[in-house]
Amino acid sequence: MKKRILIAALSVTIIGILLLSLLFIDLFYRSAVDSAEKQLRTYMNFFDASAPFTQETAEALAEKTVTARVTFMEADGTVVADSFAEVEGQTREDRAEVRAAIAEGEGYSVRESDTVKKNMVYYCVRMDELGGVLVRIGIPLDSEIAFFVDALPSIIWFLVMDILCCLVFAWLATSAIVKPVEQLTREFATSSGGVKTKYPELKPLAKMMNQMNADIGDKVARIKEDNRIEKLVLDSMEHGIVIFRGPSDLILINKTAAQLLSYEENEPIALFSEDGEIAELLASEESASLYRKFGEKDYNLRFTMGDPNVLLITDVTESMAAARSKNEFIANVTHEMNTPLTSIKGFAELIYAGAVPPERIQGMAKTIIKQSDRLANLIRSIINFSAIDSDELPDYEVDVSELIAELIGGFEPKLRKKDISLKINVEQGVKVMSRRERLVEILNNLISNGIRYNKEGGVLEVSLTGGARPCLTVRDTGIGLSEEDKTRIFDRFYTVDKSHNGGGGGFGLGLAIVKKLCRRAGWELKVESTLGEGTAFIIEFCSDQQLKS
Ligand code: ADP
C-alpha cells in the first residue's frame, strides 16, 4: 500500500512539474517575443527617412542596434539592401511580416530564418512617405526548444529535489495513514478482547473487526464443542477406530483402539510394523479383514484403505464363541446320536439277516427299543433346549408346592429300585410366576439326577420354602461332584462319568436346560456338593416381578 501511495504521489508531482515547466517556458518565450517586438519598434525609430535607401544606410542602422539584421525592400518585397547577406534583388514578399506590412503597414513574425539559420523576430514597416518601401529589422531569439534545453538542468535538479522531498513526505504521510491501520490489525491478531481506535475514519473498520472477532470466537467455540462431543462419542464407542495415512501418520485414534493397540502418543503404532501380515497389507494398500487376539478377547480388524485409511476394530469374542459353541453343539449332537443309531442298526441288520437265534431276538428288540427311547429323549432334550430361546409365552402363577406333590409320585419306582428314601419338606401354597411346563422340566431334571447319581439306600430331600424369596432345594446323598465338575456340569453335553453315555446315563443336557430356564426367569441357581457325600441344587426364585408366595 505504502509503495502504491509513493508511486502515485511521485507520478503526480513529476507530471505536475513537467507540465508547469512547459507552461513557464511557454510564458517566458512569449514574454521574450513581446520584449523583442518592443525592442524592434525602438530600433525602427533609429531609421532615418532622409538617408538614402541603400546598403550603407542599412548597415549603419544595423550597427546602431549591434545585433539586428536590417533589410530594405521595394514596395513589392524585392530586397534593396540587407545588413546580413547579399540578397539584393531577391524577393521577400512571401515572408509573413513582409506580407502583413504590404497589406496593413506593419507586421511581425517569429520564425527560423532561411538566410540567418536562426530563430528570428522580424518587424517590418511600410514607409508610405517614401513611396511604400519596406524596412525590416530582425533580431535573433532563442526558440522554445532552446528555452527548454536551457532550462533542462534546472528542471532536472528541481525534479530530483522534488522526488526526494516527495519520497520523504509521502513516506511520512503514508506511515501516518497506515500506522493506525497496522496497529488495529496487530491488536486484532493478538488481543482476545475487542479492538479500539481514536480515528473516526477507522471506527467502522474496528467495529467490523470486533464483530468478526465475536463471530470467529463463536465459531471456534462451536468447533471445539463439536470436537469434544465427537471425541466423547468416539471414545465411548466399544469399537476401536484408527484413521491414518501411514504407520506413523496418525490422524485419529479413539480410546478403545489406543488401549487395544497400546498406543503411546506421538509414537507409531507398533502392531502395524510388528505384525507381518498387517505390515504387508499396509504396503499393498488393499482393504482387508483380519482377526487378532488382544488379551483374552478376539477382535476383527477391518482395514479400509483409501485417503485416509480407516481401521475398525470390533470385539467378536461373543460371536466367535457362539460360532465355536454351535460347532461343538453339532459335534456333540452327532456323537450322541451316533451311539444309539449304530446299535439299533446293528441289531436290526442281524435280525433281518436271520442270523440270530429266536431266543435272542426278544433281547435284541428290547435293546433296539431302549436305544430308540434314548434317541427320542435326546431329540426331545435338544428341542426343549432350543425352544427355551424362542419361548415368548406369558407367565402365570404356578403353585410349586402342588406341582412337587404331583410329580414326585412318578419317581416312586426309581426310588424304590435304588432303595432311596424320600424326604419332602415343602411349605404349602408357594407360588411363582412362570409356566407349568418350565417348572416340570426343572423339577424332573433335578429329581431324576438326585436319584440317578444317588447311592443305593441313599436319601433324596426336596425342600420348598416360601416368603419373600421362595427357595427350592433338591438334595441327595449321592456321589457328589469335584470342584472342577461343579463349574462345568451346567455346560451342554457335559457329563462327569463318560461311561454313562450310551448306557443309562443322560446326555448332559438336563442341567443346561435348568440353567437356561433359571437365567431367563431371573432366578438364582446354585450347586453345593462334596465329592462322595452328596449334592444339593438350590433355586432362589428371586426375580422381583415374578415372585409370588
Ligand atoms: P445328564 O443327563 O447326564 O444327567 P445333566 O445335565 O443333568 O445331564 O447333568 C450333567 C452331569 O452332572 C451329569 O452327567 C452328572 O455327571 C453330573 N450331575 C448332575 N446331577 C448330579 C447329582 N445330583 N450328583 C452328582 N452329579 C450330578
Side-chain angles (χ1 to χ4, degrees):
M1 187 186 170
K2 276 184 179 175
K3 209 171 154 190
R4 290 183 71 175
I5 292 174
L6 277 176
I7 291 170
L10 272 178
S11 312
V12 168
T13 48
I14 289 170
I15 292 169
I17 284 170
L18 284 176
L19 286 175
L20 258 178
S21 307
L22 291 176
L23 187 76
F24 277 119
I25 286 165
D26 189 55
L27 279 175
F28 278 133
Y29 181 70
R30 280 169 199 280
S31 123
V33 169
D34 272 356
S35 52
E37 283 174 2
K38 277 182 194 138
Q39 200 177 353
L40 285 171
R41 273 178 187 280
T42 315
Y43 288 167
M44 195 56 86
N45 292 333
F46 296 158
F47 175 69
D48 183 3
S50 59
F53 202 59
T54 60
Q55 179 71 26
E56 289 73 34
T57 312
E59 279 173 9
L61 183 57
E63 252 171 55
K64 271 186 200 164
T65 61
V66 186
T67 53
R69 174 189 177 192
V70 178
T71 312
F72 291 164
M73 287 165 279
E74 296 289 358
D76 61 355
T78 308
V79 177
V80 176
D82 190 290
S83 67
F84 184 76
E86 288 180 9
V87 287
E88 293 91 344
Q90 291 179 14
T91 181
R92 291 289 185 263
E93 73 165 313
D94 57 334
R95 307 298 199 263
E97 72 280 2
V98 176
R99 255 195 339 266
I102 294 169
E104 291 159 26
E106 64 175 5
Y108 289 99
S109 123
V110 182
R111 59 184 171 75
E112 165 114 24
S113 162
D114 289 345
T115 319
V116 184
K117 304 289 180 210
K118 270 186 184 174
N119 197 51
M120 300 285 285
V121 184
Y122 288 108
Y123 177 46
C124 186
V125 176
R126 189 180 70 207
M127 300 293 174
D128 290 332
E129 68 271 22
L130 296 177
V133 294
L134 301 166
V135 177
R136 185 181 74 172
I137 304 175
I139 51 172
L141 178 75
D142 280 347
S143 67
E144 248 175 320
I145 293 166
F147 264 81
F148 182 75
V149 171
D150 283 351
L152 204 56
S154 309
I155 291 172
I156 290 170
W157 173 241
F158 192 65
L159 264 179
V160 170
M161 291 308 289
D162 173 70
I163 287 168
L164 286 176
C165 291
C166 194
L167 280 175
V168 172
F169 282 109
W171 187 81
L172 288 174
T174 48
S175 294
I177 295 166
V178 172
K179 209 173 160 189
V181 180
E182 282 179 343
Q183 199 182 338
L184 212 61
T185 327
R186 228 180 356 259
E187 239 181 83
F188 181 67
T190 52
S191 89
S192 51
V195 292
K196 272 190 212 142
T197 178
K198 59 183 177 186
Y199 303 98
E201 297 84 354
L202 294 179
K203 282 201 167 137
L205 181 66
K207 196 178 163 194
M208 210 172 75
M209 282 173 152
N210 287 336
Q211 184 59 48
M212 269 172 66
N213 228 346
D215 287 353
I216 290 168
D218 282 355
K219 277 187 187 131
V220 168
R222 222 172 307 139
I223 290 167
K224 273 187 187 164
E225 182 59 10
D226 287 353
N227 285 347
R228 195 183 69 80
I229 291 171
E230 216 169 82
K231 194 169 178 323
L232 207 70
V233 171
L234 285 172
D235 283 349
S236 58
M237 273 173 72
E238 58 175 320
H239 299 294
I241 288 183
V242 186
I243 300 176
F244 62 102
R245 287 218 163 74
S248 337
D249 188 359
L250 206 67
I251 299 168
L252 183 148
I253 181 164
N254 75 343
K255 211 171 173 181
T256 312
Q259 276 166 2
L260 290 172
L261 303 175
S262 311
Y263 170 71
E264 300 274 340
E265 210 157 325
N266 300 325
E267 292 287 323
I269 294 173
L271 185 79
F272 286 2
S273 50
E274 285 168 6
D275 187 310
E277 198 180 352
I278 293 177
E280 228 171 81
L281 187 80
L282 296 181
S284 73
E285 295 184 355
E286 269 176 33
S287 300
S289 174
L290 307 172
Y291 291 90
R292 289 292 179 271
K293 227 175 165 62
F294 297 119
E296 291 294 299
K297 294 189 164 187
D298 295 301
Y299 289 88
N300 172 244
L301 276 64
R302 179 174 292 279
F303 286 90
T304 308
M305 308 307 271
D307 186 23
N309 308 314
V310 179
L311 164 62
L312 182 69
I313 309 173
T314 316
D315 183 352
V316 289
T317 316
E318 267 183 35
S319 57
M320 281 181 94
R324 265 199 297 269
S325 143
K326 193 177 162 192
N327 290 340
E328 270 172 28
F329 183 74
I330 291 166
N332 282 324
V333 168
T334 322
H335 173 73
E336 292 294 345
M337 282 181 159
N338 207 30
T339 318
L341 266 177
T342 315
S343 124
I344 291 166
K345 193 173 177 256
F347 284 122
E349 277 173 355
L350 280 174
I351 293 167
Y352 180 73
V356 185
E359 65 276 14
R360 284 191 62 200
I361 288 181
Q362 206 181 9
M364 280 190 180
K366 207 175 160 191
T367 311
I368 290 173
I369 293 166
K370 198 178 157 195
Q371 291 299 337
S372 305
D373 285 346
R374 188 172 163 75
L375 206 55
N377 273 343
L378 173 63
I379 292 165
R380 190 183 60 81
S381 298
I382 292 168
I383 291 169
N384 284 352
F385 184 80
S386 307
I388 297 169
D389 289 324
S390 52
D391 179 7
E392 296 297 336
L393 293 169
D395 290 345
Y396 52 84
E397 252 180 22
V398 183
D399 191 324
V400 190
S401 316
E402 261 179 26
L403 195 62
I404 293 171
E406 263 176 51
L407 291 177
I408 207 75
F411 291 99
E412 277 300 322
K414 285 184 182 172
L415 286 165
R416 227 178 302 121
K417 202 176 168 192
K418 281 185 95 172
D419 194 22
I420 295 168
S421 34
L422 180 69
K423 277 192 193 172
I424 301 288
N425 209 349
V426 173
E427 204 180 302
Q428 289 309 300
V430 178
K431 293 173 185 169
V432 295
M433 287 299 284
S434 181
R435 293 186 70 84
R436 187 186 147 81
E437 65 272 19
R438 294 179 199 156
L439 286 161
V440 167
E441 186 75 42
I442 290 171
L443 285 164
N444 275 342
N445 270 306
L446 295 182
I447 295 169
S448 59
N449 277 353
I451 299 169
R452 188 185 290 161
Y453 303 107
N454 215 327
K455 290 174 192 162
E456 288 280 331
V459 178
L460 176 70
E461 186 183 346
V462 180
S463 315
L464 181 69
T465 54
R469 287 171 83 87
C471 185
L472 169 74
T473 309
V474 179
R475 187 185 300 279
D476 65 62
T477 54
I479 56 172
L481 291 160
S482 68
E483 285 306 311
E484 194 208 332
D485 288 334
K486 262 197 264 183
T487 59
R488 301 202 54 196
I489 48 169
F490 297 106
D491 294 349
R492 291 175 307 187
F493 295 103
Y494 184 78
T495 53
V496 175
D497 183 359
K498 307 293 173 200
S499 64
H500 281 176
N501 287 355
F507 306 101
L509 277 174
L511 286 180
I513 291 171
V514 172
K515 186 186 171 187
K516 207 171 185 185
L517 285 169
C518 287
R519 201 174 53 204
R520 272 186 64 109
W523 302 332
E524 200 177 325
L525 171 65
K526 287 188 287 187
V527 57
E528 289 172 2
S529 183
T530 310
L531 199 59
E533 288 184 14
T535 308
F537 289 94
I538 303 148
I539 296 174
E540 281 185 30
F541 302 101
C542 52
S543 173
D544 287 345
Q545 73 269 33
Q546 297 199 5
L547 270 178
K548 285 276 159 156
S549 169

